[in-house]
């Protein structure tokens, strides 16, 4: 790692870059001494000392009681990330729920909430207000009250223009061109929280980050995370980096055309994977005595998934056939993805997790049959262990990560506040 | 750019790394002075002078007559890549031809050859001998006789284990586990050319490199190149880097499962894109009076493509229907790829180029209809301008590129030879 100690950029820019570099070094090496940071970065000890003082002032770094092992000289004081003063909050809004996860700087979970909410029926403005209320509640929680907020991320099932925080197209929410970041920012300012850093991203992308950083296959360099909600999306981590494509629209696995003249999809097309194996489609085929065959009104997805699991465990042939069929289509979708990207792991999340005992066996069989490379190209197919909070958690983690890279402003110094 | 001037590695390794760094700097900045190289790399002027002398001795760099513009002091001599002493050769073997392209260090084409050859009927051993003969002929060409050989690359339509140069599976050639690099290396040693650097790679990957470096959409950072031979493959350049996947098996677009219980594919499965829209499948459907409906013997693909173009121009309804149908399937394949990867451009190569006037309109229409992001996510669909030599050319370019990165050994000093 090379510190930036000279160059054409202004002093302030250099200082901020160096703050990020020192912060990252402490994150990776903690507990570590100032001397180690100087050695690893190439910065002078005086510069490191000044930057560390700054980072301590901002609540990002703290000194530990532990002393560096040194053979000679004064015992060194060790540095580590300060996990007690700051928090990052990730929200997810999906068709039938809002999820909230708060983490500290070590990405440890501070609290998790899951609230059922009919987002589609509510419409975008009521959804933005629901997100604001959820956020204010978390900020007011005793566990959070002493912490300053690093920022807030919002996961949305749809195409996002992340530069502006606008949801371009989220058919399952019926949002089209909704400037979510601006709206939520204004609502929070009115509620006494102006200037909060807000990021908006696709739910599958953020779920993939959570899976890569904290799932049971964490650090698998080529990993695909597939959301299992009413919609299906894929977060593609290739070589540990999110593959977003030229316009940020990569990973739309739910809308690959799998069956000519197939069933109608929420996007207006026919035969998309989502229309064949999305959770809404699966439930309507599994529970014909309870649900209408075509999407009309919203359904209580969580309760219907529970009922489907119950009936599957009891051996209900209609349910088993619907799950077998959906697993087969998921297998064709996964085979397509694996033929194109050759990942090491495909992880199914969301409501696919409770349905996995029935979906994954046919899915794996089709994958094995339709991947050109032997042994599915070495790809493992699993259910996620993260549940419905994956995207919210990944968003909170992404905020912590963004601190190092300058993508997120550093929190102000507490002495100045 | 930072030169390596100290560290734990041995002197020889450091020297070689620095040779690569200086070579890359000269390639990017040429014509440039030694002083500029020193400034750009952080190496001392003495080190740069010594390395430049070494690179000149190896035939990689030369001094030009041109003098650096300097206000004061001695006029500097300018450096540039030496394009007169070395050559890199790319070969491609496909179902019905062998292509050869030789380039100099500036990636300028020295010669191109295209030879019809029934590779499938010949079998792997005869193919290796054919490649050796083609290579010896090129090495003996008056245009090449004074040049030393940097290395040779071979493009093959199949799954490659590039570490060992083994063709794991190339169904259209009927090669399975053929150690092509070892065999060709032995044949060349017997012919008086021992120790040649040999790389084996997938034809679509190398075609994508040629398209990215020298096609009409060169430098498009998210670009997919699709081979149009008997087989279909995709080379995926994301953010300017080849996406190979965890085992090197990415880009198998030809074997995504598009039609349940569809026509038989050369890979043994049914309904793969290749079985619906590969050139062999298209020709058999377009020319039912000339060709059998199922693959039995090899066909003269080039002549059959010419006949198809002739009949299409004359308005033959059977031909037009076959091309329309194939274009539609290519559109479904491209829509799948674009939904997943959101590239800026998809370029069809090989025999798809002469057929493009009939294939691309239905392909573009289906793409527009089946990509979830508006306006196909900004993706452009074109025919390649590189013809059947794309993969061979890309392989030769990849060899020149590998010089900088240490992936290929530097040529020996001429004075030592």
């Amino acid at each position: 790692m090379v510190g930036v100690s000279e160059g054409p950029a202004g002093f302030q820019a250099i200082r901020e870059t160096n703050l990020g570099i020192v912060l990252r070094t402490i994150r990776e090496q903690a507990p570590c001494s100032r001397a180690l940071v100087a050695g690893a970065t190439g910065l002078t000890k005086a510069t490191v000392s000044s930057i560390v003082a700054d980072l301590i002032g901002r609540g990002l770094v703290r000194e530990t009681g532990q002393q560096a092992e040194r053979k000679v000289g004064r015992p060194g004081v060790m540095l580590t990330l300060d996990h007690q003063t700051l928090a990052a909050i990730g929200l997810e809004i999906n068709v039938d729920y809002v999820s909230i996860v708060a983490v500290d700087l070590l990405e440890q979970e501070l609290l998790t909430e899951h609230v059922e909410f009919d987002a589609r029926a509510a419409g975008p403005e009521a959804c933005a207000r629901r997100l604001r209320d959820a956020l204010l509640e978390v900020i007011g929680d005793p566990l959070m009250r002493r912490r300053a907020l690093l920022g807030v991320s919002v996961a949305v099932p749809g195409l996002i223009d992340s530069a502006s925080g606008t949801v371009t197209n989220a058919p399952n929410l019926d949002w089209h061109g909704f400037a979510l970041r601006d709206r939520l920012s204004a609502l929070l300012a009115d509620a006494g929280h102006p200037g909060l850093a807000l990021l908006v991203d696709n739910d599958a992308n953020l779920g993939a980050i959570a899976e890569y950083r904290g799932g049971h296959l964490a650090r698998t360099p080529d990993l695909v995370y597939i959301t299992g909600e009413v919609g299906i999306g894929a977060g593609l981590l290739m070589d540990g980096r999110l593959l977003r494509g030229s316009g940020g629209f990569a990973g739309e696995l739910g809308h690959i055309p799998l069956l000519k003249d197939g069933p109608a999809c929420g996007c207006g097309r026919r035969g998309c994977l989502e229309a064949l194996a999305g959770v809404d489609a699966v439930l309507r085929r599994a529970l014909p005595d309870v649900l209408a065959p075509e999407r009309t009104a919203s359904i209580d997805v969580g309760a219907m998934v529970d009922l489907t699991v119950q009936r599957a465990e009891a051996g209900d042939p209609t349910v088993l056939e619907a799950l077998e069929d959906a697993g087969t289509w998921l297998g064709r979708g996964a085979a397509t993805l694996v033929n194109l990207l050759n990942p090491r792991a495909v992880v199914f999340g969301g409501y696919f997790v409770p349905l996995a005992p029935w979906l994954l066996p046919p899915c794996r069989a089709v994958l094995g049959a339709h991947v050109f490379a032997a042994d599915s190209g070495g790809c493992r197919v699993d259910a996620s262990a993260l549940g419905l909070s994956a995207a919210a958690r990944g968003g909170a983690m992404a905020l912590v990560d963004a601190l190092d890279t300058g993508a997120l402003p550093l929190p102000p110094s507490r002495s100045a506040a």
Side-chain angles (χ1 to χ4, degrees), chain A residues 19 22-27 30 32 34 37 48 51-64 78-86 105 403 411 414:
Chain A
L19 281 167
V22 170
L23 183 61
R24 186 161 66 239
T25 307
I26 295 171
R27 169 139 59 138
C32 61
R34 286 171 176 81
V37 173
V48 169
I51 287 177
V52 166
D54 192 339
L55 292 172
I56 290 175
R58 293 171 193 263
L60 292 162
V61 166
R62 66 187 177 91
E63 294 180 334
T64 71
M78 300 302 269
L79 302 169
T80 187
L81 288 190
D82 185 347
H83 65 284
Q84 294 175 321
T85 56
L86 290 159
L105 276 199
L403 270 180
R414 286 173 296 176

Side-chain angles (χ1 to χ4, degrees), chain A residues 170-253:
Chain A
N172 292 320
L173 295 175
D174 201 17
W175 294 5
H176 309 277
F178 177 42
L180 174 61
R181 190 174 68 193
D182 287 353
R183 187 63 197 124
L184 188 54
S185 191
L187 287 171
L188 287 167
D190 289 348
H193 295 275
L196 260 183
L198 277 175
L199 300 180
V200 180
D201 205 340
N202 173 274
D203 61 340
N205 285 345
L206 294 178
I209 288 174
E211 202 64 49
Y212 181 71
R213 298 178 77 91
H216 72 293
L217 298 175
R219 306 289 154 192
T220 301
D222 299 295
L223 178 150
V224 173
Y225 174 81
I226 298 180
T227 58
E229 319 296 335
V230 169
I232 295 177
L236 316 171
L237 273 167
M238 296 288 116
D239 225 352
R241 299 185 327 151
L242 211 45
L243 196 158
R244 292 181 178 274
S246 65
F249 306 140
E252 287 301 331
L253 179 67

